[in-house]
């Protein structure tokens, strides 16, 4: 087989959460480029005509969007049921959706902690379990989490986010251990400092922004499109012997 064919996703369906913009949108469009149809979930996703829908359809692929707040447990189960009704087989799950709330640890309120853990960790597990069990039953599937540099580091003023992303890295390994014998690979992508809405406060910080740039060997902030290759690799047959891995896409940040 031509090596490039190993990266094709023709005939596959991918569910991408947090797909309306930023990293999730790049993931969805990249998977569509590789041949996959896309089911997309985002909190404020338009019923039709979204930018991600237009870009996926321009590549000749199907797109179906769903609006859901992943912090609402009942709404999450309802959207899972809707996706399964519309797409009986989901081959690839990209657990990307997440949020961040910043406040020093001594002042970090319960509502910040609860919101971040619910969206960034609890919902990730529920989605992985509900779609993963179908993959296990079929004997094939790919689960991709979005981890973070804060899966490895503690960060500043984001204790709930660091705790959740640390949990995502460990959840990746736990699921990989159980599901690898059943033909399901579970991996994560850990983006470095990527220019998105979630990092806008850091980009605007006159002290931290230069300090961040000084540490990145690549010498720049990443952009969402820098993550496309990693997503297609981990979603495709090219990664069939890769599981339990947290793949860094960080411009060399953690190597410094």
């Amino acid at each position: 087989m031509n090596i490039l064919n190993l990266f094709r996703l023709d005939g596959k369906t991918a569910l991408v959460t947090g797909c309306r913009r930023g990293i999730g949108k790049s993931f969805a469009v990249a998977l569509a480029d590789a041949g996959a149809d896309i089911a997309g979930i985002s909190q404020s996703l338009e019923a039709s005509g979204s930018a991600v829908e237009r870009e996926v359809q321009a590549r000749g692929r199907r797109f179906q969007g769903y609006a859901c707040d992943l912090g609402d447990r009942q709404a999450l189960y309802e959207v899972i049921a809707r996706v399964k009704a519309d797409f009986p087989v989901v081959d690839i799950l990209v657990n990307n959706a997440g949020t961040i709330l910043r406040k020093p640890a001594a002042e970090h309120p319960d509502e910040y902690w609860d919101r971040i853990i619910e969206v960034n960790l609890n919902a990730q597990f529920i989605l992985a379990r509900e779609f993963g069990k179908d993959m296990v039953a079929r004997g094939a599937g790919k689960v991709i989490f979005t981890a973070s540099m804060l899966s490895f580091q503690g960060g500043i003023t984001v204790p709930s986010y660091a705790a959740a992303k640390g949990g995502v890295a460990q959840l990746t390994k736990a699921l990989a251990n159980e599901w690898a014998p059943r033909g399901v690979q579970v991996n994560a992508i850990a983006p470095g400092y990527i220019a998105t809405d979630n990092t806008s406060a850091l980009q605007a910080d006159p002290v931290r922004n230069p300090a961040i740039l000084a540490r990145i060997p690549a010498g720049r902030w990443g952009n969402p499109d820098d993550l496309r290759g990693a997503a297609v690799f981990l979603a495709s047959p090219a990664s069939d012997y890769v599981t339990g891995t947290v793949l860094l896409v960080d411009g060399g940040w953690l190597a410094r």
Side-chain angles (χ1 to χ4, degrees), residues 179-216:
W179 294 351
R182 307 296 294 275
V184 178
Q185 293 81 52
V186 184
N187 293 286
I189 297 170
Y193 283 87
I194 307 296
T196 66
D197 290 345
N198 271 1
T199 59
S200 58
L202 290 178
Q203 295 172 64
D205 190 312
V207 175
R208 294 208 58 206
N209 186 24
I212 288 167
L213 284 172
R215 176 173 166 165
I216 300 173

Side-chain angles (χ1 to χ4, degrees), residues 26-27 193-194 220-231 249:
S26 284
F27 284 161
Y193 283 87
I194 307 296
R220 65 173 177 86
W221 283 72
N223 67 72
D225 284 349
D226 288 319
L227 301 160
R228 292 179 299 175
V249 184

Side-chain angles (χ1 to χ4, degrees), residues 5 7-13 31-37 61:
N5 290 337
F7 294 85
R8 293 298 307 172
L9 299 174
D10 302 292
K12 302 294 185 182
T13 295
L31 298 180
D33 262 333
D37 292 328
R61 309 314 312 166

Side-chain angles (χ1 to χ4, degrees), residues 49-69:
S50 65
V52 63
E53 177 180 18
R54 292 195 303 271
E55 291 196 36
V56 168
Q57 291 180 344
R59 287 154 174 81
R61 309 314 312 166
R62 176 186 176 191
F63 180 88
Q64 178 66 50
Y66 307 85
C68 180
D69 177 1

